[in-house]
Amino acid sequence: MTVKQCSLCLYDESHPFGLFIDDDGVCSGCRVHQEKYQIDWGARKAELVGLLEESRGKANGKHDCVIYVDSDAESFYLVYLIKKVLGFEPLLVNFNDYFRTDIGHKNLNTLRTTFDCDLLNFTPKLSQYKKIIKESYLKTGNFFWPIQAAKTALPFNLAINKAIPLVIWGGHQGMEQTGMFSHHDYVNMSQWYRSEHDLFGFTMDEIVSGSSLLRKEQMSHYTYPDNKKIIQSQVKGLYLNNYFLWDPLKQNNQMLEYGYTPEYNASTFDYFDRSGSSVYFNVHDISRMKRTGYHKVRDHLCREIRHSRISKTEAIELESFYNSAERDPKPFLKWLGFDEDGIKWFELHYFKGVDSPSVSRELTLSDKLKALCPTPQQPQKTFLLFDKSLYLKSQR
Amino acid sequence: MRIIAGVSVLDNRVVQSRRWSVTQAVGTLEHVLRALDRYEVDEIVVNNIRREAVEVKTSLLASIRAAEVFTPLSLGGGIRRLEDFDHYYQASPERVFFTSALMNQNEELLEYACSVIGQQGMIAFLPFKAHQHGALFFNPSINQFEPLPPASQRLIRTYFDEVVFYNTEAEGELSTISAITSAVASIAPYRSDQNGFIYAGGIRPDILDALPQIADGVIIENALLYQEEPLKMRQLTGSEIV
């Protein structure tokens, strides 16, 4: 059976979220993107303000909502929207995944100081964390399961414990990539979406089963609250792409003004998205290619096609260019405790056939794209467990 | 009024359909069924849109088994022959629903199915759209809307327990209460007191509290996945939870 590709973007029907291509050859992702130009965003913004006002009325008086933040530019943008644009006070929460670069640490701390917010940082016990990362990798082919589980569960548990009725998320990936939901659906965060898509369909039981080293009772920070707690607390998770015209590259670029430092990686032109991680565009991108058949840069390229900053032809060239970038899994495997033989085994058996042929062409970005892609900095340190916690404006 | 979750499946993917046209892929049947089971709906209706391929039905049944749900399940879509019914019946559904067999008066199939599953397990599934002379009903075997055949009323009374009237023009949309009550009124001539009545089309979880008793049950199409809605919990604890 041939796999149909969208006539406008690079996605095809094999997208892991599922993708529907209509009779005109256009995918559901492109169709839902087109809705962005017909929506009255002023009215949507007013709706969000109403919800935040309601939340403020019910909350503990100190914080109006909870936002999960990381070291990437989207975190800056979420806090900027909620605090600077709308005037509400968020409580920030972060999960230390131990994979941060020096730039990642700098960005997270700059975010906290620039926007002057309370930030709770959860750092899991390293010995246990490495075990669950290893189990996740061996069982799902993706070591991001614990990170995704924690970053989706922590803010919800925190919101329930502190009686804050709203958790704010950025763009809904399923909507932005494949048009899983329309903007008119006002999709919220749900257990189902988390379980099926954020956690790749694997449950905690499946991750810990068969492992004598992991006990479910010790994993509460990875566990989402149950139905009863959710309904009693009435906490909701809202996605901001239902309330603002979501254009990540453009909006993240604005965050340079607030001290965000773009970080270089060889695998994409987008130095804002998921930056500050030692693994995301390396071993995680290799695993992604193995599981889904494409690298992260395809998501960036499809998004840029939809925002009319590149043509599909340019995107195809750029994809082959970035596919050939070197992605090195060794630092991660060493971090995990594999010896040289183990690393060789992995490279031979697990990553075999994932490499793309090298491309010698010069990279050329369209002018529209170039205008939004600043010169990035190279990280000096990777896999940093901790870094100094405060960056004052004068130190940037 | 029973709250029923409607799930449309195309090639083993749960899809959203709006105004009787598939628009979006949502997730896998196995995971969606598990979620709906957790949300404690009263019943789940799984409609296989790809009607012909037997291998699709096989993978659909495999997903249903893998999901291990305890919520009563109604299954249908493409049951045109005795072996189609037998195939679906392997998944041990509580109920099975029929459209083509009713529209084409395939009494042999209806009689057979009724003898196997019992009349309480038979649902007539009637997708409709409003028409100047009442309503037109979708016949999947010709892929068209047409008037309800006169003999169908007798078949419904003889073989079916409940009838689902599925408003295709409101499917996947958010209808107002007045639009819903008006659509319910438009199908009144086709209803019988002898059969239970289930309404579907344009009903979202957030209007359930305000919705009057319009039927014995209502189907919410896919929308349960838009929001965190543990329905049974809400019914048990009341909507004003402190």
Side-chain angles (χ1 to χ4, degrees):
Chain A
M1 199 171 77
T2 54
V3 177
K4 278 195 281 183
Q5 191 189 48
C6 175
S7 59
L8 301 180
C9 73
L10 303 181
Y11 287 140
D12 60 41
E13 288 176 319
S14 68
H15 193 292
F17 285 165
L19 185 83
F20 183 74
I21 295 178
D22 66 20
D23 294 342
D24 297 323
V26 178
C27 77
S28 41
C30 288
R31 289 286 182 223
V32 167
H33 179 85
Q34 287 160 2
E35 290 174 359
K36 291 182 180 182
Y37 306 106
Q38 275 116 43
I39 289 172
D40 178 353
W41 292 109
R44 291 287 180 114
K45 184 177 161 188
E47 283 177 46
L48 178 65
V49 169
L51 292 168
L52 281 159
E53 291 283 6
E54 201 181 306
S55 177
R56 175 178 277 174
K58 290 180 185 167
N60 58 16
K62 196 172 173 191
H63 303 105
D64 304 316
C65 60
V66 174
I67 304 179
Y68 179 84
V69 292
D70 228 319
S71 52
D72 61 2
E74 183 172 285
S75 297
F76 273 65
Y77 189 66
L78 299 188
V79 181
Y80 160 79
L81 279 183
I82 296 298
K83 183 145 185 177
K84 288 268 179 197
V85 176
L86 303 179
F88 291 88
E89 186 64 41
L91 171 59
L92 311 184
V93 59
N94 167 256
F95 177 75
N96 180 7
D97 64 10
Y98 289 100
F99 296 134
R100 211 157 279 149
T101 63
D102 53 344
I103 294 176
H105 275 287
K106 183 182 176 187
N107 276 331
L108 183 59
N109 293 317
T110 304
L111 163 72
R112 171 166 65 171
T113 49
T114 301
F115 294 106
D116 192 25
C117 291
D118 290 334
L119 168 69
L120 289 173
N121 201 329
F122 184 87
T123 301
K125 193 161 71 176
L126 185 57
S127 56
Q128 191 192 60
Y129 180 66
K130 281 197 178 185
K131 285 173 199 160
I132 195 169
I133 286 273
K134 194 181 271 184
E135 287 296 326
S136 159
Y137 201 28
L138 295 174
K139 284 178 181 156
T140 72
N142 187 339
F143 64 88
F144 254 54
W145 190 95
I147 299 168
Q148 288 289 96
K151 74 181 272 190
T152 47
L154 278 175
F156 249 85
N157 285 314
L158 183 64
I160 289 173
N161 290 341
K162 293 202 171 281
I164 303 171
L166 280 186
V167 177
I168 300 291
W169 301 98
H172 184 288
Q173 275 204 62
M175 271 176 81
E176 290 294 315
Q177 291 181 21
T178 62
M180 186 182 292
F181 296 98
S182 156
H183 290 86
H184 305 293
D185 291 334
Y186 289 91
V187 63
N188 284 355
M189 174 70 172
S190 71
Q191 289 177 75
W192 161 73
Y193 185 83
R194 174 182 187 264
S195 162
E196 168 143 21
H197 296 296
D198 288 337
L199 304 186
F200 329 110
F202 287 90
T203 63
M204 173 64 86
D205 285 334
E206 288 165 322
I207 298 294
V208 301
S209 70
S211 167
S212 56
L213 303 170
L214 292 170
R215 283 170 47 208
K216 199 178 163 186
E217 310 83 70
Q218 296 173 335
M219 306 285 170
S220 60
H221 41 285
Y222 301 111
T223 309
Y224 204 69
D226 62 23
N227 275 357
K228 197 175 174 186
K229 275 190 179 169
I230 293 172
I231 199 72
Q232 283 179 339
S233 66
Q234 297 187 320
V235 171
K236 281 186 175 179
L238 303 182
Y239 293 97
L240 289 189
N241 65 332
N242 282 317
Y243 302 95
F244 293 91
L245 195 161
W246 210 246
D247 184 352
L249 193 62
K250 196 172 170 186
Q251 62 208 29
N252 290 342
N253 187 277
Q254 291 172 38
M255 295 302 101
L256 295 170
E257 193 188 324
Y258 293 92
Y260 172 79
T261 304
E263 181 183 82
Y264 175 78
N265 80 71
S267 307
T268 180
F269 54 91
D270 184 338
Y271 305 128
F272 301 105
D273 187 29
R274 312 281 182 156
S275 69
S277 169
S278 311
V279 291
Y280 194 87
F281 287 102
N282 286 298
V283 64
H284 183 59
D285 215 16
I286 302 173
S287 302
R288 169 198 288 276
M289 173 59 115
K290 193 171 164 66
R291 284 181 295 113
T292 67
Y294 67 91
H295 288 302
K296 180 67 186 170
V297 71
R298 181 177 291 183
D299 293 336
H300 295 156
L301 290 165
C302 289
R303 183 193 70 200
E304 294 311 306
I305 292 171
R306 290 172 185 167
H307 284 288
S308 308
R309 287 190 281 262
I310 47 170
S311 67
K312 184 172 179 176
T313 313
E314 288 169 316
I316 291 168
E317 280 211 19
L318 285 172
E319 185 175 38
S320 73
F321 178 86
Y322 286 111
N323 278 349
S324 70
E326 191 191 351
R327 292 164 177 86
D328 188 3
K330 286 192 206 78
F332 167 74
L333 295 171
K334 275 185 190 161
W335 178 88
L336 208 50
F338 284 89
D339 60 14
E340 286 302 322
D341 287 343
I343 291 172
K344 271 185 199 156
W345 184 92
F346 248 90
E347 287 186 324
L348 188 63
H349 296 283
Y350 196 79
F351 299 130
K352 197 178 172 187
V354 177
D355 290 344
S356 298
S358 106
V359 174
S360 57
R361 290 188 299 274
E362 284 290 305
L363 169 66
T364 47
L365 294 179
S366 71
D367 289 343
K368 281 183 185 171
L369 206 52
K370 221 183 290 178
L372 293 173
C373 296
T375 307
Q377 287 187 18
Q378 282 274 9
Q380 302 302 311
K381 297 174 191 165
T382 55
F383 293 89
L384 278 180
L385 302 189
F386 298 98
D387 199 20
K388 65 182 192 178
S389 59
L390 198 65
Y391 284 85
L392 300 174
K393 213 168 184 178
S394 57
Q395 292 177 304
R396 282 192 227 130
Chain B
M1 197 159 61
R2 281 146 46 213
I3 309 297
I4 302 164
V7 177
S8 300
V9 184
L10 182 67
D11 299 339
N12 217 25
R13 281 263 174 200
V14 173
V15 292
Q16 286 204 63
S17 172
R18 293 174 198 274
R19 294 174 176 264
W20 213 230
S21 172
V22 175
T23 53
Q24 288 142 313
V26 173
T28 57
L29 182 59
E30 185 182 332
H31 287 100
V32 167
L33 287 180
R34 279 186 193 157
L36 295 173
D37 197 39
R38 264 201 314 272
Y39 290 168
E40 299 184 49
V41 292
D42 293 309
E43 188 178 339
I44 303 170
V45 171
V46 177
N47 186 9
N48 176 23
I49 299 179
R50 184 85 72 199
R51 304 175 188 106
E52 297 84 8
V54 171
E55 64 274 15
V56 170
K57 287 176 189 156
T58 305
S59 67
L60 184 130
L61 297 185
S63 296
I64 290 172
R65 286 197 194 99
E68 294 181 332
V69 295
F70 294 100
T71 309
L73 207 63
S74 298
L75 198 52
I79 305 178
R80 295 181 187 168
R81 300 164 303 168
L82 304 186
E83 49 268 42
D84 292 331
F85 172 79
D86 288 339
H87 202 76
Y88 275 156
Y89 195 61
Q90 288 171 33
S92 308
E94 252 68 14
R95 311 205 286 176
V96 177
F97 58 85
F98 298 84
T99 304
S100 296
L102 180 61
M103 295 298 285
N104 301 326
Q105 293 120 63
N106 185 348
E107 194 160 357
E108 184 196 0
L109 172 57
L110 297 179
E111 191 176 358
Y112 171 74
C114 192
S115 71
V116 174
I117 199 168
Q119 190 167 352
Q120 81 290 339
M122 298 282 287
I123 306 179
F125 191 87
L126 295 176
F128 74 95
K129 66 176 184 182
H131 185 255
Q132 53 183 345
H133 302 302
L136 292 176
F137 295 85
F138 187 70
N139 186 341
S141 55
I142 56 170
N143 210 26
Q144 275 179 14
F145 286 85
E146 60 181 15
L148 195 64
S152 61
Q153 297 289 6
R154 179 186 65 80
L155 295 175
I156 289 172
R157 283 195 301 273
T158 309
Y159 297 109
F160 291 97
D161 180 42
E162 290 192 316
V163 184
V164 174
F165 286 91
Y166 197 97
N167 186 352
T168 59
E169 290 173 309
E171 185 195 36
E173 305 288 321
L174 172 57
S175 294
T176 59
I177 301 281
S178 65
I180 293 167
T181 46
S182 148
V184 168
S186 76
I187 47 167
Y190 306 98
R191 287 171 48 195
S192 147
D193 290 341
Q194 289 181 36
N195 297 99
F197 164 48
I198 297 170
Y199 179 80
I203 296 178
R204 295 277 178 98
D206 39 1
I207 62 161
L208 283 177
D209 288 338
L211 193 66
Q213 176 86 29
I214 54 166
D216 300 307
V218 289
I219 295 179
I220 301 173
E221 324 91 49
N222 287 325
L224 284 173
L225 300 173
Y226 303 164
Q227 294 171 353
E228 198 75 272
E229 277 291 336
L231 288 168
K232 201 75 169 191
M233 290 294 296
R234 189 173 64 169
Q235 287 167 2
L236 290 174
T237 51
S239 54
E240 289 299 318
I241 300 163
V242 186

